[in-house]
Amino acid sequence: MILKDFKKNILLAPYTTFKIGGPAKYFFIATSSGQIIEAIKLAKKLSIPYLVLGGGSNILVNDKGFNGLIVKVKNEKYKIQDKAVISEAGVLLSGLAKSLINKNLSGLEWAIGVPGTLGGAIRGNSGAFGHSISELVKNIIVLNSDNLEINNYNKKQCKFFYRESIFKYNKNIIISAELNLKKGDSKKSLEIIKEYLKTRKKGNPNYPSAGSVFKNLEVKELDLNIIKNYPRINEVIKGGKIPAAYFIEACGLKGKKIGDAEIYQKHANFIINLGNATAEQIVILISLIKQKVRNKFGIQLEEEIEYVGF
C-alpha cells in the first residue's frame, strides 16, 4: 500500500449519522482486515495522524475536518458456529443481530436499530434496554497501535464498564471479535424486537443525530439524600441509572436551538441536525446543557459522544 491509495480531502459529514463534519486530509475505505492493518502501518510509517471510523454514530466531527487519515472500516465477514459468531469489526451491528435471530440465536436483539458497527460497539460498550455488548464478548483480535502486532484480548482484559472499554484508552484497533449467544427462538426474538422498535420510535428522532449525547448517571455514584428530593425520581430510575434526559428536561431545555442544532423535543438526550447544523453549534448546545445541569443539580454530565478533529 502506498500514499496514492488514499483519497484526499473527502468530506466526512456523509460518513457520520450527525451529517456534520469537514474534510479528512486523507481517506481510505478498508474492505478487509488486512487493508485496515496495512493502512495503519503506512500512516504510522509516515507519521500521519489516523482514526478508524465505523458506522459514524456517537461522534462529532469538527467543521474543519481531520488533519490526518480516516480509515473507514468495511470488513464485514462473519461466521456463525453453533452458539457463537466470529465477526469482523466492520459488520453493522443491526444486520448482525438479524442474522443471528434467523439462526435462532438470542442475545443481540437490543441492537436492532443501532446504526454502528461491531467494532465501535465493543470500543464504547454500546447497549440498550438494559443490555450491552460486553455481555456477549468472548475474545477480541486487535492491532496494537504501538508495535503494530496482532493481539488477543479475553473479556476480562477488555475492562468493560458502562459505555467504556480499555480500547478507548490504549487506542488499539479492533479487527474482529467472537461473541457467545444463547439458543433462542426466532419468533420470540421478533416479538421482543417489535417492542424495542416501538420504544425507539417514540423517542428516537427522524433527523440526523449522533445518538445519546450524554451517559446516564448511576444512582450509586450520587448522594441519596439529594436524589430523594428530585421530582418523579422513582419513576425514571431504571437498572440503577437515572437518564441524563431527566436532568436536561428538568432544566427546561427541550427544543432549545442554536442555529440548526436543536435539543430534541421528544427526548432531551438527543441533539438533532435540522439541516445545516455545524459542529460549533452542537458544541455550544452541549456546553449549555452541562452548565445548566451543573448549576441546577450540582451534577457534571459526561459526554457519550466523542469529538473528532477538535
Side-chain angles (χ1 to χ4, degrees):
M1 184 175 289
I2 59 176
L3 191 59
K4 289 182 179 179
D5 293 323
F6 299 159
K7 295 180 181 179
K8 291 185 178 181
N9 299 316
I10 300 299
L11 195 65
L12 292 175
Y15 294 95
T16 75
T17 58
F18 237 148
K19 304 306 176 190
I20 292 172
K25 185 173 182 179
Y26 299 105
F27 186 86
F28 180 73
I29 297 177
T31 57
S32 70
S33 297
Q35 286 186 347
I36 296 172
I37 294 168
E38 289 304 310
I40 299 302
K41 284 183 176 179
L42 182 57
K44 293 276 286 187
K45 181 180 178 181
L46 299 175
S47 298
I48 300 171
Y50 62 86
L51 180 79
V52 174
L53 180 65
S57 58
N58 292 105
I59 63 170
L60 177 64
V61 178
N62 197 317
D63 298 316
K64 295 178 181 178
F66 182 72
N67 189 30
L69 168 65
I70 294 290
V71 180
K72 167 66 177 174
V73 294
K74 294 284 286 183
N75 57 332
E76 299 174 333
K77 293 180 181 178
Y78 63 90
K79 181 167 56 176
I80 298 172
Q81 296 177 325
D82 192 27
K83 291 188 288 184
V85 58
I86 300 171
S87 173
E88 292 184 315
V91 170
L92 290 174
L93 200 61
S94 188
L96 182 61
K98 291 176 184 177
S99 295
L100 293 170
I101 289 165
N102 289 336
K103 294 290 185 180
N104 292 309
L105 293 174
S106 178
L108 201 57
E109 289 90 344
W110 58 266
I112 295 293
V114 174
T117 59
L118 176 61
I122 292 170
R123 184 176 181 276
N125 193 16
S126 296
F129 304 106
H131 297 281
S132 64
I133 195 71
S134 59
E135 298 169 8
L136 308 176
V137 169
K138 181 180 180 182
N139 289 298
I140 299 172
I141 303 299
V142 305
L143 173 67
N144 186 305
S145 59
D146 291 324
N147 58 26
L148 299 178
E149 293 180 355
I150 300 297
N151 298 136
N152 189 303
Y153 279 71
N154 60 36
K155 182 175 181 175
K156 186 176 180 180
Q157 291 172 315
C158 295
K159 296 183 179 179
F160 288 118
F161 55 104
Y162 177 59
R163 298 298 180 263
E164 300 283 354
S165 78
I166 195 171
F167 305 113
K168 278 192 174 183
Y169 305 97
N170 65 17
K171 307 300 182 183
N172 288 349
I173 289 96
I174 298 167
I175 300 298
S176 63
E178 181 178 356
L179 307 181
N180 283 334
L181 288 303
K182 296 178 181 178
K183 282 292 183 184
D185 181 285
S186 60
K187 290 183 179 179
K188 289 182 180 179
S189 292
L190 289 172
E191 287 301 313
I192 293 170
I193 286 169
K194 281 183 182 178
E195 294 304 311
Y196 286 165
L197 289 176
K198 282 181 184 177
T199 301
R200 287 190 182 280
K201 191 174 182 180
K202 289 178 182 177
N204 287 21
N206 291 323
Y207 291 92
S209 78
S212 296
V213 176
F214 297 100
K215 297 176 183 178
N216 294 329
L217 287 91
E218 298 196 59
V219 172
K220 64 182 181 181
E221 295 181 0
L222 300 173
D223 188 330
L224 294 178
N225 290 321
I226 296 175
I227 288 176
K228 66 183 181 181
N229 295 320
Y230 294 167
R232 304 183 296 104
I233 192 62
N234 291 328
E235 299 174 24
V236 300
I237 294 176
K238 291 183 180 179
K241 294 183 178 66
I242 304 175
Y246 167 84
F247 298 101
I248 302 168
E249 182 176 351
C251 290
L253 291 173
K254 275 187 172 181
K256 174 66 178 177
K257 291 200 299 184
I258 303 289
D260 261 8
E262 180 186 290
I263 299 171
Y264 190 45
Q265 298 193 34
K266 292 185 179 180
H267 194 311
N269 200 17
F270 284 87
I271 294 177
I272 59 175
N273 176 2
L274 296 174
N276 294 298
T278 65
E280 181 182 14
Q281 291 166 356
I282 301 293
V283 168
I284 292 171
L285 268 186
I286 288 174
S287 297
L288 177 67
I289 290 169
K290 293 172 74 172
Q291 179 187 25
K292 293 288 188 181
V293 170
R294 186 169 57 247
N295 290 346
K296 186 176 180 68
F297 294 100
I299 287 171
Q300 183 66 39
L301 292 181
E302 183 181 351
E303 288 94 321
E304 187 171 322
I305 64 170
E306 295 186 58
Y307 299 97
V308 174
F310 285 85

